[in-house]
Structure formats: C-alpha cells, structure tokens
Amino acid sequence: MKHLSKTTLCLVFLVQTSDLFAHGELEPILGWQVDADFTASYFDQSLHDEAWLIPGTLMGGEVYGSEQGAQLDEASVGLRYGTLNNFFASLEVGSHAHGSEYDLELEQASLGQYLEWQDYEISVEAGRMKALFSPTNTQHLNATNFERQSLLYSAFVGGHYVNNGLRALIKRETSDHSSWLVGAELWDGDAFPATSSGGVNAYDLFAYYDTSGEYQGVHGKAQGWHLNIGLWHLGTQSENRKDDRFSSGHSHGGASSTLEDIRFSGDHHITGLRAALSWDFSSHITLDSTSEVIWNEGDGEVRDQTRLADLDFEHLGASQEFGIGSGQHRIGFRYEWLGLKNTLSGPGAAILAQDANLIEKDDPYRASLAYNYLHQTGLRFKVGVTTDDTDGEADSSVWISVGWTGTFRP
Amino acid sequence: MLNYPFSGRRPASLALFPKAFALSITLVLAGCQGTSETVIEDDSASSSSFNWAIPARFPLPVEPTGNTMSEAKFQLGRHLFYDERLSGNGTQACASCHEQSKGFSDGLTTSVGSTGQVLARNAQGLMNVAYHATQTWANPSLSTLEQQALVPLFGEDPIEHGINDLNRDEVLQRIRDEAAYEPLFTAAFPEQGDPIVFTNIRDAITSFVRGLVSFDTPFDRFELGDPDALSEAAHRGRQLFFSEALECFHCHGGYNLSDSTLDRTMTFVERPFHNTGLFNIGGTGAYPDDNQGIFHITEDPADMGKFRSPSLRNVEVTAPYMHDGSMTSLDEVIDFYAAGGRNITSGPNAGDGRFNPFKSGFVNGFTISDAEKQDLITFLHSLTDHTFLNNSRFSNPWIPE
C-alpha cells in the first residue's frame, strides 16, 4: 500500500472517476467492511448566501450555499456486513454542512440479499438508502475533482436523494468486459422533491451499460478505455411541499409572502442521461469525460396563505466535465448549466412567481477548474477556482480542500 | 478563518485569477444562454379599464362585476363625497367624517352624525380601503363597499347622513338641482336615461372611495427596493414590527398592513377579527354594550370584543386609535400592547383586559425600551403617504384649486 505503482494509481483514478456505485451492491462481501470519508474546504469568497436560491426553481432538501471561510463539507462512516448466504446489511452515518451548522444524518440503514440466477446477478435491498439511479447521486465529494455537489442535483433533487424504500438490481455480463445493470427503486417520498403521504410517493428506474477495452495508443502500445452510459427516470409526487431549509413556518419580514409561506403540490418527472468515458492516453496520462443531461418536468400548483396558481415547468440541466490525470496529479474542468422555463397561470400567478422565486430570465451556470493531488495515504488535496452565476449575481472564488477516503476490511 | 500569509492581503495574481477565469468562461459560453423564461398568465388580474396608478408590484383591488370602475364614476363620486346636500338636513357629507389631511379620518374620538348624535366608533381612514376584506370595524357580512355605503347614508342607529323615507326625495332633488351633476351622471351612467338615482349615487361614491389607493410611503419605497427610503431608526423599528417578540405583523402585516386584506389575485379569503384585551368588564370578557365587536352580529360568545385590524397606513395622522378612539397617541398604543391588554381599575368598565378570556393569542405583551419604542414609532411614521394626503385628485372639487 505504501508504494503504489503508476499503473495502480492510474487504475485508482480510473475507479474514482468511473461509475461503480458507491456501495457495490452487486459485489458481495463476506464479513465486515468499514468505509470512512471526509472533506473540508476553504472558500476565498462567498458564492451565494447560506440560503442558496436559484431563481426559476423551487429548491429544498440539503442544499446550502458556498460562503466565504472554512467548513467541513462532508464526513461519513459506513459499515457493511455480508454473510455466507449472501445477506448483507449496510449502515452509513454522515454529516453535511448546513451553512454554519452541521447535522448528523442517517444516510443508509438497509438489509439485502444478493442472488444469482442463470447469467443474472440480482440484489434486493430495503431500508433507508441512497438512490442508485445515477452514480452522481451517491458520489462523495472526495471522489470528485471538485468541492461542491452537482449543480443539477442541487437544483432538481435537493443535493442527493436519500429515502426509505425498496430496491432491486439486476446485472448481466455480456462479455468479459461488458455488462448491463438495470434497477428499480420504490420510495415512501419523505425526501425532496417528493413528500410522504403514505404508500409509494416516488420511484425510479435506471439502466446502465458498462464496457471497457483496449486500443492502439501512442507508440503502438495497448491502452485501456472504459465507458459507462445510462438512462434513468425519477418520478415523484408531493403535497404542500415547502422548502425545508427554512425552519420557521411563516414569514417574518416585509410586506409580502416569502419562500417560507410557499407550498407546492404536484408531480416531478425527472429523466437523466449520463455518459462517462475514460481512457489511457498513454501509460502516464489518463483522460476522462463525464456528461450528464437532466430533464426536470412537471406540473402542479403553487400557493401561499391566500393565493393559488397552476405551475408547469420544463427544466433542463447539463453538466460536462473533463479531466486529465497523470500519476498522483489530476486537473479537472466542469461546466454546469440550467435552462429553466416556468409557466404560472391564475390570478395569483404574478405575485406567486415573485414570492416563490420563480422569475428567471438568464440561464444559471457554474464553472470550475481544479487541480487535485492524491496522496498514497488516501488523502486528496484540491485547489481550484469556481465562477458561479446561479443566484442572479456572478461571483468567483478560489478554494482549497483536503479530504480522505478509506476502506477497511478487518 | 485562514489568513493569507505574510502581508495578510490577497496576492494580486490570486485576486485576478478568479475574475479572469470568470471572464473567460463568460466569453466562451455567451452563445449558450437564453432558454430560461417565466411565463405569467394571470387571467386578466392585472388589467383594468380604470387607471389605478399604483406600482405594478402591487395587485389590483377587486372590482365588483355590478359596479366596474370608471374615471367618470370616480369623478362623480368625488363630487358626491364632498357634498353636504347628500344628507337629511343638508349638513353632512362623507367628508365630514373623512378628511383628506387626516388620511380620510376625522381626528375625533368618535364621529358625530348630521343630527348631533355621537357615534360609538372612531372613523377609520379610507386609504386603500379597496383592499379590505370586510368593511367597518366589526361586521363580517359587509364585504363590499356597495354594501357598506348604504349604512352611513340611510342608517337609523346611529344617524349619520340621516336620509330616510321622509326626506329621500328632497335629498335627491337637491342633487338634481345642481347643474354640475347632470353631465357627471350622464358620463358615469351613459346607458341610463335618468341616472340620478340613489343606486347610482351609491355606486359613484363607492367608486371614488375604492379609487383612494396609493403606495407611495417610505415603507413602500423600501419594500420596492430602495434601501435608503427608511432612516436607520425606521429600519430598526421595522425589524421590531416584524419580529416574533412584538408580533405586530401577525395582525398588521402584508402590503396593506392589515390581515384583513383582499385583492383580485387571492383565491383564499381570510376575514379575521381580533379581541386585543381592551376590556374585560367584571372579568367576564365582556365589552361595553354598545361596542361588543362582531358578537353583535354573530351572537357567538367567543366573538365578544373582536374587531377588524385596520390598516396602519397613515396611522401617524389618523389618531385617536382603536374602535372607540380611546387611545390618543401611538405611545399609548404601544404601551397597551406591551402590557398585553388594558387594566381598567374603576368605573363601569372596570376589569383587566390582559386576562380577557377571548383575547387574541398574539397579544401576550412584550418588553420594549424607550429607545425601541421611538424606533417603532418612527417606523409607523414611515407608513404616512404624503402624496396621498395632498393629492388633488382626491380633494374637494367644489373648492377651486
């Protein structure tokens, strides 16, 4: 472990940027496994207020702004246990910065079983879980080149989707280097953008194709490449959903309603297309590209204490990330963009559009450039710059971070 | 917080890097923008044939379908509003109890009718009355101005204008005999052959009163985005007003500083009334017999002493305060709410209002220093609309300018 070969390090980067799901539900383990992770950062400038509001979209969940100063962004400890007959249990506790406060949250508490049937590998699991419809949803910050969650996931699913439910995964290997993964998840909906009202209030379906191979690279040497591409859909329904980031139940200031008074009832239909490609440009250099496009559509009604309006929304988000790595060094660039179209109708439409922060004329975007250094102990140092124009005001900040990821199998 | 090394100042190259990065990103991606939009379809909530002359940010008042607003009706109503001939004995106009310089109140503890009868209640200011969910102090069934206007004109207890079956024809003839009125009535009601009738008089007066709207106070300008519109003291007072400690905003919040507000953008109508602990006669929760709030209408014991929260617009000039005009200054009002009610220790109304069993849960008392009280009063003064108080559009047309 002390002296990792360059090839091993390249593979480590490949693993970190490729699209294995965080918990390897289809890689059964025997006995205990402990995963630990933390990342902390310092931002030179505030990119937005603590209550990060992106005009044009109703937000919620666990999304908070990037403020000037230092903070512990994430910390988590996870336990997995697998038995001889392929039962497994998972537990993960995490802490996320909520502005100036920190909450301890149960991210995972589930039981499952791994099965094999003919050429199919099957996993069923129930409990509190992170949704697996996209690898982006389960990524810890320390597994990325950057220091903030995906803008698309911040805007559309409240950061990341964690809920109580059932899951079934089916994987089939089509060759030595290729496989299909199909999954379905049902949720009780007690997580943004859904709300819980008994029964199933959210579901998702997904399918991924994973393949790798070799090609004739520089100087005729065989170089590796890896592709993971997938399609997913998340459907949610909500009733009287409010932005949970505002703790009090009603507005305190000013002459008009504020977001604290706003409630949404309706459906979200969120579809994503994700493609991640990495390849060894040479024995020393790895390149990768990750693209994700998300369509967030839906309809419902927005209301405050006295007004009501119908809301139809068609949102589009796109994220493109490029990376280049060599040994322990990595440079990454990410551009994220949102197109937000909302139509409100009814006598209260104009005022509710204003009070619900749904007025948007410009497309929010964020761009980041970062350098990463991965130490052989598992520490990861990052330094980068981010320019953010998501809240109606363009700001830029230099930032640094340090993180660590480790896995132990006693 | 980490400090930059050595000088404690950002290195120049580091300071420029994020800006340069931002500029390069902006230039490269300038062509990829422009799909976001918000479409508003408000079912004509923002359109009217009448020129309300209010900022676009504020919603329009409800216009009754049976009396849509027009400039002609507004001007006719303005003439009638200031006309003393529109009373039984020819001595009382609407303006007798509703003076423009006093925010269309009258500065009296309670008003006096045309026959000298003293009314039980204080005259409320008429600014933005178009937005009231109910009219008068305590009648949940009077939801339109058209319903309310008949009360001062034809009411018998108390007598205000004193028009009754014995004198109504005479009053109407006075209006007919005024040459200025024929063209005004014809313009306001062009489809009618003989428009000088009491229903049209009512509709014209209510059109004028409905048109008494304005949003030009320092508070309004601050809410519309002018950070310098409020003085520092007024800003501190605003924070007190909207704090959970004082809870003023619970009954006097919203753009019209009253929780009894209705406009055409609303779907859910709230018509609240509150008992603030002014009385608690004999410890029974009772109010004086001639002023018991909506209990007089509903006969529900729990409604004893409940009155509508008036708008606080122009509160600086609409003293005295409360439904009975029993408080003469804003100092006294703030002290009353800070105490959580009024304790009357002697006389026929003796009782400790602080313990009125029907008192609103929002009136719990609070601690406030003298300096904070002055800040709060300064904020309340920022609700004065001097444009409205001096607007010739609302003034007496019978007096040459």
Side-chain angles (χ1 to χ4, degrees):
Chain A
M1 185 69 182
K2 201 173 182 181
H3 300 287
L4 294 174
S5 68
K6 288 180 183 176
T7 305
T8 306
L9 283 170
C10 284
L11 285 174
V12 168
F13 275 113
L14 197 65
V15 165
Q16 289 195 323
T17 60
S18 69
D19 300 287
L20 295 180
F21 292 108
H23 300 284
E25 276 74 7
L26 286 170
E27 297 175 11
I29 63 169
L30 184 64
W32 291 96
Q33 176 176 309
V34 179
D35 303 299
D37 179 280
F38 86 87
T39 181
S41 67
Y42 171 81
F43 273 69
D44 175 60
Q45 298 292 321
S46 291
L47 296 179
H48 13 72
D49 297 332
E50 180 178 336
W52 181 18
L53 300 174
I54 301 175
T57 183
L58 297 172
M59 298 177 70
E62 301 292 327
V63 177
Y64 292 86
S66 294
E67 293 186 280
Q68 183 185 26
Q71 69 178 25
L72 177 67
D73 295 314
E74 281 182 3
S76 66
V77 175
L79 299 175
R80 279 174 60 85
Y81 180 74
T83 68
L84 276 172
N85 47 3
N86 292 326
F87 282 97
F88 62 89
S90 300
L91 180 70
E92 180 178 330
V93 175
S95 176
H96 298 269
H98 290 178
S100 55
E101 300 174 356
Y102 296 89
D103 285 348
L104 204 60
E105 294 158 5
L106 186 63
E107 300 266 298
Q108 184 95 9
S110 60
L111 298 172
Q113 185 173 25
Y114 170 79
L115 310 161
E116 286 186 5
W117 179 70
Q118 297 185 351
D119 295 334
Y120 298 94
E121 300 168 55
I122 301 169
S123 169
V124 292
E125 191 173 359
R128 183 165 183 80
M129 304 175 287
K130 290 183 187 177
L132 292 186
F133 57 78
S134 170
T136 308
N137 191 61
T138 57
Q139 273 179 337
H140 290 284
L141 286 176
N142 210 37
T144 73
N145 291 323
F146 308 99
E147 202 50 31
R148 284 298 177 262
Q149 295 169 323
S150 159
L151 172 62
L152 280 59
Y153 285 72
S154 297
F156 299 151
V157 297
H160 61 289
Y161 196 79
V162 178
N163 203 186
N164 306 313
L166 299 170
R167 165 189 298 147
L169 301 176
I170 304 175
K171 180 180 176 182
R172 182 170 184 270
E173 294 189 358
T174 54
S175 73
D176 286 343
H177 306 288
S178 301
S179 64
W180 280 97
L181 174 70
V182 176
E185 297 169 313
L186 300 177
W187 308 104
D188 71 4
D190 190 19
F192 181 90
T195 59
S196 177
S197 58
V200 175
N201 296 282
Y203 73 93
D204 63 77
L205 304 168
F206 53 94
Y208 283 84
Y209 179 68
D210 192 276
T211 184
S212 59
E214 291 184 342
Y215 72 102
Q216 288 294 107
V218 175
H219 305 308
K221 285 189 176 179
Q223 306 290 354
W225 60 268
H226 176 245
L227 173 68
N228 180 279
I229 186 167
L231 184 67
W232 57 267
H233 178 80
L234 171 67
T236 71
Q237 59 186 38
S238 57
E239 193 171 326
N240 286 327
R241 187 189 77 204
K242 64 184 176 80
D243 189 339
D244 285 332
R245 299 174 301 162
F246 299 102
S247 55
S248 62
H250 55 255
S251 55
H252 277 207
S256 61
S257 295
T258 66
L259 281 168
E260 298 171 18
D261 300 310
I262 299 298
R263 301 289 183 268
F264 171 75
S265 297
D267 300 332
H268 284 252
H269 308 285
I270 309 175
T271 303
L273 178 64
R274 190 176 189 274
L277 174 67
S278 62
W279 67 100
D280 295 332
F281 179 75
S282 71
S283 59
H284 303 288
I285 297 174
T286 302
L287 303 176
D288 64 83
S289 166
T290 302
S291 311
E292 190 157 18
V293 179
I294 298 179
W295 294 267
N296 176 29
E297 299 174 322
D299 57 70
E301 58 184 37
V302 178
R303 59 176 293 174
D304 62 13
Q305 291 164 356
T306 56
R307 297 180 181 89
L308 180 71
D310 292 327
L311 171 65
D312 286 281
F313 55 93
E314 298 173 14
H315 299 163
L316 178 64
S319 170
Q320 175 60 55
E321 182 179 332
F322 294 109
I324 176 169
S326 177
Q328 295 166 280
H329 308 279
R330 179 164 200 82
I331 293 175
F333 170 76
R334 180 173 71 182
Y335 181 75
E336 302 161 290
W337 166 90
L338 300 173
L340 305 171
K341 181 175 179 184
N342 298 288
T343 301
L344 292 98
S345 54
I351 289 185
L352 284 171
Q354 185 79 31
D355 291 344
N357 197 39
L358 288 173
I359 305 288
E360 178 63 283
K361 299 174 187 173
D362 301 316
D363 300 339
Y365 74 88
R366 184 172 69 186
S368 299
L369 178 68
Y371 163 76
N372 284 229
Y373 174 75
L374 180 64
H375 192 262
Q376 57 198 19
T377 59
L379 283 170
R380 186 169 187 156
F381 301 96
K382 306 176 192 177
V383 58
V385 58
T386 295
T387 186
D388 182 300
D389 190 7
T390 61
D391 59 358
E393 197 174 315
D395 295 292
S396 298
S397 177
V398 175
W399 51 267
I400 57 174
S401 84
V402 60
W404 177 81
T405 297
T407 297
F408 305 99
R409 289 192 178 168
Chain B
M1 179 176 293
L2 300 179
N3 292 314
Y4 285 97
F6 311 123
S7 68
R9 297 173 57 198
R10 298 182 66 184
S13 58
L14 195 60
L16 288 174
F17 183 50
K19 291 180 182 175
F21 177 71
L23 178 61
S24 63
I25 294 299
T26 303
L27 290 174
V28 167
L29 298 161
C32 304
Q33 303 287 308
T35 66
S36 294
E37 66 172 340
T38 303
V39 176
I40 306 293
E41 300 168 352
D42 70 357
D43 295 349
S44 303
S46 57
S47 60
S48 173
S49 58
F50 181 74
N51 181 14
W52 291 94
I54 61 176
R57 174 67 177 88
F58 294 99
L60 294 180
V62 174
E63 284 182 50
T65 53
N67 188 22
T68 52
M69 292 289 288
S70 72
E71 185 63 21
K73 283 185 192 175
F74 177 87
Q75 292 299 337
L76 170 59
R78 179 178 161 214
H79 284 75
L80 292 166
F81 185 89
Y82 284 98
D83 197 331
E84 293 177 347
R85 289 170 290 187
L86 193 61
S87 58
N89 57 15
T91 65
Q92 188 96 351
C94 306
S96 302
C97 299
H98 296 287
E99 302 171 34
Q100 183 178 8
S101 64
K102 297 183 174 69
F104 287 96
S105 66
D106 61 8
L108 301 176
T109 300
T110 58
S111 301
V112 180
S114 59
T115 60
Q117 181 180 3
V118 178
L119 277 60
R121 291 184 185 159
N122 174 263
Q124 297 188 62
L126 296 183
M127 178 174 168
N128 290 1
V129 70
Y131 292 97
H132 290 176
T134 60
Q135 306 299 329
T136 75
W137 280 103
N139 193 330
S141 62
L142 286 182
S143 56
T144 67
L145 288 168
E146 284 71 17
Q147 293 171 319
Q148 183 274 336
L150 298 173
V151 174
L153 288 174
F154 299 100
E156 295 177 351
D157 183 27
I159 295 174
E160 298 180 60
H161 288 242
I163 302 175
N164 53 45
D165 289 339
L166 296 178
N167 60 31
R168 58 186 294 144
D169 291 339
E170 176 190 345
V171 172
L172 202 58
Q173 192 58 49
R174 295 185 205 136
I175 303 300
R176 289 175 184 275
D177 289 342
E178 170 56 58
Y181 275 124
E182 185 180 347
L184 289 170
F185 271 90
T186 301
F189 304 98
E191 72 285 0
Q192 297 180 24
D194 180 15
I196 304 180
V197 294
F198 274 112
T199 51
N200 290 346
I201 289 172
R202 176 203 64 188
D203 287 354
I205 291 176
T206 55
S207 293
F208 171 70
V209 173
R210 184 171 284 116
L212 294 174
V213 294
S214 183
F215 292 94
D216 194 24
T217 67
F219 170 72
D220 291 319
R221 293 193 289 275
F222 176 84
E223 292 292 320
L224 286 173
D226 179 0
D228 299 323
L230 293 181
S231 65
E232 287 188 14
H235 191 69
R236 291 193 299 268
R238 176 184 175 277
Q239 290 176 323
L240 287 168
F241 186 91
F242 288 104
S243 70
E244 283 291 358
L246 270 58
E247 301 201 272
C248 311
F249 71 96
H250 278 294
C251 299
H252 294 287
Y255 62 83
N256 207 32
L257 287 307
S258 166
D259 63 352
S260 183
T261 298
L262 173 66
D263 61 62
R264 62 171 71 184
T265 70
M266 292 180 177
T267 301
F268 313 107
V269 182
E270 295 179 339
R271 296 188 170 94
F273 298 85
H274 308 287
N275 177 321
T276 58
L278 278 169
F279 296 93
N280 183 16
I281 299 172
T284 64
Y287 272 49
D289 288 342
D290 62 345
N291 237 334
Q292 297 184 321
I294 60 171
F295 170 74
H296 175 72
I297 305 293
T298 68
E299 299 186 346
D300 181 350
D303 287 337
M304 174 62 68
K306 289 187 177 178
F307 294 85
R308 191 197 67 196
S309 306
S311 168
L312 295 185
R313 291 184 173 276
N314 291 324
V315 69
E316 180 183 11
V317 299
T318 57
Y321 307 109
M322 303 298 167
H323 66 279
D324 57 1
S326 59
M327 296 192 181
T328 59
S329 69
L330 292 175
D331 263 283
E332 192 176 349
V333 171
I334 295 171
D335 288 341
F336 158 72
Y337 281 114
R342 180 168 64 187
N343 183 15
I344 301 172
T345 57
S346 62
N349 296 327
D352 194 341
R354 295 172 299 176
F355 301 103
N356 190 303
F358 309 115
K359 191 180 70 167
S360 167
F362 291 124
V363 182
N364 294 314
F366 50 82
T367 302
I368 189 168
S369 67
D370 289 340
E372 288 173 329
K373 189 195 298 186
Q374 289 311 307
D375 287 341
L376 182 58
I377 291 173
T378 302
F379 168 70
L380 293 173
H381 287 180
S382 78
L383 305 178
T384 305
D385 192 327
H386 293 282
T387 303
F388 176 83
L389 297 176
N390 297 287
N391 193 340
S392 60
R393 175 173 170 77
F394 306 138
S395 63
N396 190 340
W398 301 105
I399 298 175
E401 291 185 30

